[in-house]
C-alpha cells in the first residue's frame, strides 16, 4: 500500500466502531483490513470469456484459456466483451453473424461468468460503421435507423443487470465521412449528422436501461472530438463517461501528449475512460499507416528488449492516469498476445500464457502500491481508524469477517462481528 | 444577360398584365424590363464609407474616396462595415477605442449612406478574441460576459433598421485555444465552451433584433467547423447563414477544394455566405505563415501578370459560387488595394483607384451575364412574359416606369402604368 498526496482523490478514511453480537465494544483486538477490489476499473478486452463460459472449444484449448482467464482475474476487475453487430474479419465472428441469430446466450454466459467473479463488464459497441450488419445495405435510411434501434433495445434489455455499461457509439468523428466501403451506419450518420446520430442512439440505449453508464468512444483525440463532445453536451445528451482510445501501435504517446490530452478532455468535468489502450512489446508499426487494420503481418514477435520498454511505458502511463482525478477506468485492448487484434504483441501475457514484465508491473501497482492491506488494534471503545484506496474490503478479526465498501463519503460506521 | 440550366435557381419567370389608369390592357406596346439590383449579395468590406459619409478627411482624400466608393457602387450591393470592439492594430481604429466612447454616430452615418444607395450592410463582428476591448482583462469572467452582452445589445439595437445582418461571432473553432495573447473573449470561451458561447451571444443578438440575419463566421473550413455547426444546430441555435472565410493570400483554393468545401458545408441545408474572400494580384504569401497577420511587408505590388491571374481566379470562383444553390452572398474582404489588410494587393482596384482586370470581370458577370435587361411587346391582352435573374426591376413603357421585385414565387401580376 502506498500513500501520497497525488493519490488523495483515490483514497478515503474510515472510522469503524466494532461491537460484538451483544453490542459490546470489541476492545484491544487485532483487526486486519484487507482490500478485495478496486473502485477504479482496471481491465481489458477478454473475448475468450465466451469460450471459457460456454466450454465450446476442445479440452486442451479450454484448459489454456482457463489459465489465461485466471491470470486476468488475478489483476483485473473490468472486462470488455465484444458486441460487433456483424463479423469483424480476422478478429471476431460477430454478435449476429447470421441475421436473426444473435449470439445472446453465448454472450450472456460470458457476462455471467465474469460477473460471478466480481468483474464489471462493458459491452462494445452498440453502433459502429465497421463490422456492422451487412443487411443494412439493402434498407432505406429510415429502415436502417429502425433496425439499429431494435438491435440496441434487444441487446441492452437482454443484458440488463449483467452489462450496465456500454460503448454506445464508436468513432463518430469519422462516421459520416468513412469511405473505405459503403455501410448502413455511415449512411444514417450522413443523414442525421454526428450530434444527431449520437442523440438518437444514446436516447434509445438510455430508454432500454436507464441506470446504465453510457460512453461515447473515439480514437480521434484532436480538437474534433472536443467540439463533438461540446456539441453533444449542449444538445442535452447525457454522456456518463468520455471514452478515449489510445492504440499506440506506432509508439507510446509519452507523458507530454498524455497530459495534454487529459488536460483538454478534462474541460467537460466528466469521467474519462481509457477504453482501448495498446502498448506493444514488439517492433512498432510504421508511422505512415492510417487505419491500423491495414497493417498485415503474420509474425509480430514479442521480444525481451521490447517487453522491457512496454513495462516502462505501462508503468508511466497507468501512473499518470491513476493520478488524474477524472480518470475512472483503464482498459487495455488486449490481455494476451494470443488472438490479439492485427496479430500485435499487445498483451500483458505472451502467446503461451507466460507473464511479460508489464504484467508484473501492473500486478505490483494494482494489487500492491495502490491496494490497501493493513492491521491495527481496536481502542478501549472498540474504535479503529484507517485510510485506504477506494473499493471493497474485508475486516478480519479472529475468525470473524465483515465485508464493506470504502468510498469518498466514508463516515464512522458500526460493524457487528 | 445569360441563361443556363445551371443558374435556374437564380432565376424566375413572371407574367405581367399591363393596364392603363382606366384598367384597359396596354396592347402592342414595347416594354423594357431592366434589372436594377440583385437578390444575390455581391460585396466587400468598404470601411471607407465611414470617412465618405462623415466627410472627416481632407478634401483631396475625400474626393479620392468618393471616387473609390462610386466604383464600389457600380458593381456591388452589399457592404461589410467594421465593428471590432477595440483597436485592430495597423488596420482599423476600433469601434470603442476609448471605453465609453463608441463611434456609434460615425458608423451610423456610414450605414445610412450605404443604405441610401441601396446597399445591404453587414456588421463585422460582435464577438471576437482579436481586437476586442482591452479592459475586459480587468474583469471576472462573469463581468466579461455581462460587458459583451451589453456591447451586443447596444450595437444591435442602435443599428436596427440600418444593419440587420451580423457576423455575430468570429473564429470560434480556435477561440478557447487562442494563445497569442491573453484576452477576455478567449477566457469566457474556455469557460462556456464553444457551443456555449455561441449559444449565449446568438441569443443576446437575436433578442436585440429578432428579425436579423445572424452568421457564425470562421476561416477554419475543416471538419472542426462542420462539427461545431452540427453541435450548435443540435443545441437549438438558429444560425441563419454559415459564414466561410476564404483568404487566399497563399494561393487560390482552386475548383476542387472549393467544390469540396461547398459540398461539406451544404449538409446543413443552410444558406452559405463567403464572407471574407481574398484573391491577390501580387506575389503569394509563403505557405509557412499560419496567422496571416504575421506577414509584414511594406511593399506588396500589384503586377500586370498577377492581375491576369487574379481576374481568372475571380471569374472561376464567383462562377462556381453563383452556380451553387445554397450560396447567397460573396464578400471580397477588400475592394481596393488602398488601405488593404496586411498591405496585400487584394482589391479589385489599385491604390490609385484604377480598375484591375478582376473588376472588369466582375462587372461583366454581375452587371452583364447575370443581369437581365430585355425588351418585349405586350400582346392583345396587355400581357408580357419574361424570365430574369432574381432581384429588383424597372418596367419602362414609353415615359412610364414601374418598379417591382422578381422572386422565386413570381406569379402573374397586374401593373398599372
Amino acid at each position: 500500500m502506498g500513500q501520497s498526496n497525488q493519490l488523495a482523490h483515490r483514497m478515503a478514511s474510515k472510522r469503524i466502531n466494532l461491537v460484538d453480537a451483544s453490542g459490546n465494544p470489541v476492545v484491544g483486538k487485532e483487526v486486519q483490513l484487507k482490500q478485495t477490489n478496486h473502485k477504479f476499473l482496471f481491465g481489458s478486452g477478454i473475448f475468450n470469456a465466451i469460450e471459457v463460459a460456454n466450454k465450446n472449444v476442445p479440452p486442451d484449448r479450454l484448459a489454456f484459456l482457463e489459465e489465461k482467464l485466471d491470470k486476468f482475474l488475478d489483476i483485473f476487475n473490468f472486462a470488455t466483451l465484444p458486441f460487433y453487430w456483424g463479423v469483424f474479419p480476422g478478429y471476431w465472428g460477430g454478435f449476429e453473424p447470421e441475421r436473426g441469430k444473435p449470439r445472446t446466450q453465448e454472450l450472456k454466459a460470458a457476462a455471467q461468468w465474469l460477473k460471478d467473479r466480481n468483474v464489471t463488464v462493458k459491452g462494445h459497441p452498440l453502433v459502429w460503421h465497421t463490422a456492422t450488419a451487412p443487411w443494412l445495405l439493402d434498407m432505406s435510411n429510415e429502415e436502417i435507423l429502425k433496425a439499429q434501434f431494435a438491435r440496441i433495445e434487444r441487446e441492452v434489455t437482454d443484458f440488463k443487470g449483467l452489462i450496465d455499461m456500454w460503448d454506445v457509439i464508436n468513432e463518430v468523428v469519422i462516421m459520416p465521412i468513412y469511405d473505405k466501403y459503403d455501410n448502413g451506419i455511415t449512411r444514417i450518420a450522413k443523414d442525421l449528422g454526428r450530434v444527431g446520430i449520437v442523440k438518437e442512439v444514446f436516447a434509445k440505449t438510455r430508454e432500454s436501461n436507464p441506470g446504465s453508464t453510457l460512453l461515447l468512444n473515439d480514437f480521434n483525440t484532436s480538437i474534433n472530438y472536443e467540439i463533438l463532445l461540446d456539441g453533444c453536451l449542449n444538445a442535452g445528451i447525457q454522456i456518463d463517461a468520455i471514452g478515449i482510445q489510445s492504440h499506440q501501435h506506432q509508439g507510446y504517446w509519452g507523458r507530454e501528449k498524455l497530459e495534454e490530452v487529459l488536460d483538454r478532455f478534462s474541460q467537460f468535468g466528466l469521467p474519462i475512460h481509457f477504453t482501448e489502450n495498446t502498448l506493444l512489446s514488439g517492433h512498432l508499426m510504421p508511422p505512415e499507416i492510417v487505419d491500423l487494420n491495414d497493417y498485415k503481418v503474420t509474425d509480430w514477435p514479442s521480444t525481451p528488449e521490447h517487453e522491457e520498454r512496454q513495462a516502462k511505458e505501462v508503468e508511466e502511463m497507468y501512473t499518470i492516469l491513476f493520478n488524474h482525478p477524472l480518470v475512472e477506468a483503464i482498459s487495455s485492448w488486449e490481455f494476451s498476445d494470443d488472438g490479439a487484434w492485427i496479430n500485435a504483441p499487445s498483451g500483458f501475457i505472451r502467446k503461451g500464457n507466460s507473464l511479460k514484465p508489464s504484467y508484473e508491473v501492473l500486478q505490483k501497482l494494482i494489487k500492491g502500491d495502490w491496494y490497501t492491506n493493513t492491521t491495527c488494534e481496536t481502542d478501549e471503545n472498540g474504535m479503529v481508524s484507517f485510510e485506504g484506496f477506494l473499493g471493497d474490503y474485508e475486516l478480519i478479526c479472529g475468525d470473524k469477517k465483515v465485508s464493506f465498501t470504502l468510498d469518498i463519503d466514508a463516515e464512522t460506521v458500526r460493524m457487528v462481528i
Side-chain angles (χ1 to χ4, degrees), chain A residues 136-180:
Chain A
L136 301 180
L137 287 168
D138 305 324
M139 298 179 174
S140 71
N141 283 5
E142 206 180 325
E143 290 165 340
I144 294 172
L145 186 62
K146 234 172 120 181
Q148 177 64 68
F149 279 165
R151 127 97 168 161
I152 290 174
E153 192 175 346
R154 181 183 63 189
E155 269 70 280
V156 176
T157 307
D158 283 347
F159 285 82
K160 203 163 152 180
L162 286 175
I163 299 183
D164 297 315
M165 185 184 286
W166 292 97
D167 287 334
V168 178
I169 182 164
N170 209 26
E171 304 179 359
V172 177
V173 168
I174 60 163
M175 191 168 272
I177 54 171
Y178 184 79
D179 60 2
K180 283 187 82 167

Side-chain angles (χ1 to χ4, degrees), chain A residues 40-260:
Chain A
F40 194 96
L41 299 172
F42 290 106
S44 72
I46 191 76
F47 302 2
N48 290 138
I50 303 167
E51 291 99 314
V52 169
N54 290 281
K55 300 187 191 298
N56 55 5
V57 286
D60 277 9
R61 176 77 182 156
L62 183 62
F64 170 82
L65 293 179
E66 283 172 344
E67 190 195 341
K68 188 197 280 195
L69 270 283
D70 280 347
K71 286 176 172 154
F72 171 91
L73 294 170
D74 278 348
I75 53 169
F76 287 154
N77 62 353
F78 186 39
T80 302
L81 284 182
F83 280 81
Y84 306 106
W85 197 349
V87 177
F88 196 139
Y91 188 49
W92 194 64
F95 184 80
E96 192 176 358
E98 193 182 332
R99 191 173 180 178
K101 296 192 177 164
R103 293 165 61 187
T104 311
Q105 290 319 314
E106 246 181 287
L107 267 290
K108 266 192 165 178
Q112 186 69 57
W113 189 95
L114 288 160
K115 192 186 175 189
D116 291 346
R117 285 152 184 83
N118 220 9
V119 172
T120 300
V121 183
K122 186 179 69 173
H124 169 91
L126 290 168
V127 190
W128 193 25
H129 46 269
T130 301
T132 190
W135 54 86
L136 301 180
L137 287 168
D138 305 324
M139 298 179 174
S140 71
N141 283 5
E142 206 180 325
E143 290 165 340
I144 294 172
L145 186 62
K146 234 172 120 181
Q148 177 64 68
F149 279 165
R151 127 97 168 161
I152 290 174
E153 192 175 346
R154 181 183 63 189
E155 269 70 280
V156 176
T157 307
D158 283 347
F159 285 82
K160 203 163 152 180
L162 286 175
I163 299 183
D164 297 315
M165 185 184 286
W166 292 97
D167 287 334
V168 178
I169 182 164
N170 209 26
E171 304 179 359
V172 177
V173 168
I174 60 163
M175 191 168 272
I177 54 171
Y178 184 79
D179 60 2
K180 283 187 82 167
Y181 46 80
D182 187 15
N183 71 87
I185 303 305
T186 288
R187 286 191 200 163
I188 59 170
K190 267 193 223 289
D191 235 31
L192 298 166
R194 292 176 179 85
V195 179
I197 192 169
V198 174
K199 194 190 269 180
E200 293 282 1
V201 299
F202 262 70
K204 178 48 83 179
T205 311
R206 184 78 63 199
E207 177 195 313
S208 305
N209 185 352
S212 54
T213 300
L214 305 187
L215 287 88
L216 195 63
N217 189 45
D218 216 301
F219 69 87
N220 187 315
T221 57
S222 79
I223 194 176
N224 285 312
Y225 191 28
E226 287 177 64
I227 301 177
L228 176 63
L229 284 160
D230 188 25
C232 288
L233 295 171
N234 272 284
I237 302 166
Q238 184 196 323
I239 294 168
D240 299 311
I242 297 169
I244 293 178
Q245 299 180 22
S246 47
H247 293 292
Q248 296 158 82
H249 296 77
Q250 291 162 318
Y252 174 44
W253 287 0
R255 176 180 291 276
E256 197 179 346
K257 171 166 176 184
L258 185 55
E259 289 182 338
E260 184 258 338

Side-chain angles (χ1 to χ4, degrees), chain A residues 27-44:
Chain A
V27 177
K29 289 272 184 190
E30 197 183 85
V31 164
Q32 191 191 355
L33 294 151
K34 202 178 142 194
Q35 189 164 5
T36 56
N37 201 0
H38 272 283
K39 181 184 184 190
F40 194 96
L41 299 172
F42 290 106
S44 72

Side-chain angles (χ1 to χ4, degrees), chain A residues 168-363:
Chain A
V168 178
I169 182 164
N170 209 26
E171 304 179 359
V172 177
V173 168
I174 60 163
M175 191 168 272
I177 54 171
Y178 184 79
D179 60 2
K180 283 187 82 167
Y181 46 80
D182 187 15
N183 71 87
I185 303 305
T186 288
R187 286 191 200 163
I188 59 170
K190 267 193 223 289
D191 235 31
L192 298 166
R194 292 176 179 85
V195 179
I197 192 169
V198 174
K199 194 190 269 180
E200 293 282 1
V201 299
F202 262 70
K204 178 48 83 179
T205 311
R206 184 78 63 199
E207 177 195 313
S208 305
N209 185 352
S212 54
T213 300
L214 305 187
L215 287 88
L216 195 63
N217 189 45
D218 216 301
F219 69 87
N220 187 315
T221 57
S222 79
I223 194 176
N224 285 312
Y225 191 28
E226 287 177 64
I227 301 177
L228 176 63
L229 284 160
D230 188 25
C232 288
L233 295 171
N234 272 284
I237 302 166
Q238 184 196 323
I239 294 168
D240 299 311
I242 297 169
I244 293 178
Q245 299 180 22
S246 47
H247 293 292
Q248 296 158 82
H249 296 77
Q250 291 162 318
Y252 174 44
W253 287 0
R255 176 180 291 276
E256 197 179 346
K257 171 166 176 184
L258 185 55
E259 289 182 338
E260 184 258 338
V261 167
L262 285 168
D263 192 45
R264 286 192 289 109
F265 287 92
S266 293
Q267 67 182 286
F268 305 105
L270 289 174
I272 295 171
H273 288 202
F274 273 66
T275 51
E276 305 186 19
N277 195 54
T278 301
L279 287 164
L280 300 187
S281 65
H283 71 263
L284 299 179
M285 187 190 288
E288 63 270 18
I289 307 282
V290 174
D291 185 331
L292 305 184
N293 283 301
D294 293 341
Y295 187 64
K296 317 261 191 219
V297 283
T298 46
D299 189 37
W300 196 343
S302 184
T303 68
E305 176 201 352
H306 293 132
E307 287 180 0
E308 287 309 319
R309 184 195 62 201
Q310 184 199 38
K312 282 201 191 92
E313 292 168 353
V314 163
E315 180 159 27
E316 180 172 281
M317 184 164 178
Y318 275 67
T319 303
I320 293 168
L321 295 179
F322 195 64
N323 281 353
H324 193 283
L326 287 174
V327 178
E328 296 191 352
I330 313 170
S331 293
S332 173
W333 188 241
E334 299 293 355
F335 178 67
S336 164
D337 292 356
D338 171 60
W341 177 47
I342 56 173
N343 257 324
S346 49
F348 302 115
I349 66 174
R350 301 186 193 94
K351 285 196 169 165
N353 277 347
S354 60
L355 307 181
K356 294 184 192 174
S358 59
Y359 183 98
E360 281 152 9
V361 157
L362 279 187
Q363 192 166 39

